[in-house]
């Protein structure tokens, strides 16, 4: 089943994001390589593809997991959690309708 992992950043998270980004991306690339990743990316803090120093306000990952518990465990182990990037993370089932 698909699950949405919706994360909200702490204020001024950009330095911590930059530090933990390689490890964060490696986990997403592993999901992609397994054919389980549907979409992943950050929410820019301003209306721009490259928000520069404004940074990001959170992230969205939609991926396939065996269960809600498995999705939550994956989210809890994100390097951004260890780096203090996220203030909160919500994991919930997602049903693709389109496309």
């Amino acid at each position: 089943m698909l699950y949405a992992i919706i994360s909200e950043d702490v204020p001024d998270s950009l330095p911590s994001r930059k530090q933990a980004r390689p490890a964060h991306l490696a986990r997403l690339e592993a999901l992609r390589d397994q054919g389980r990743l549907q979409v992943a990316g950050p929410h820019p803090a301003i209306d721009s593809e490259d928000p520069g120093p404004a940074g990001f306000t959170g992230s969205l990952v939609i991926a396939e997991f065996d269960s809600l518990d498995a999705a939550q465990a994956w989210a809890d182990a994100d390097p951004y959690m260890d780096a203090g990037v996220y203030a909160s993370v919500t994991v919930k089932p997602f049903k693709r309708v389109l496309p």
Side-chain angles (χ1 to χ4, degrees):
M1 180 164 188
L2 295 177
Y3 294 88
I5 301 170
I6 306 150
S7 307
E8 297 292 329
D9 283 19
V10 299
D12 303 313
S13 63
L14 191 56
S16 297
R17 271 184 171 269
K18 286 180 178 179
Q19 177 196 18
R21 188 169 191 262
H24 172 77
L25 289 180
R27 295 178 79 239
L28 291 169
E29 290 164 353
L31 282 179
R32 179 201 60 206
D33 294 347
Q34 296 165 9
R36 297 169 46 204
L37 183 64
Q38 300 295 306
V39 66
H43 301 286
I46 60 174
D47 190 11
S48 174
E49 285 281 323
D50 181 2
F56 301 92
T57 62
S59 301
L60 171 66
V61 173
I62 299 176
E64 184 179 339
F65 293 93
D66 290 335
S67 67
L68 180 59
D69 287 341
Q72 185 69 60
W74 188 89
D76 289 345
D78 193 308
Y80 280 178
M81 292 293 289
D82 292 336
V85 171
Y86 293 147
S88 66
V89 177
T90 301
V91 179
K92 54 185 165 180
F94 178 80
K95 181 180 176 183
R96 177 190 292 267
V97 174
L98 293 172

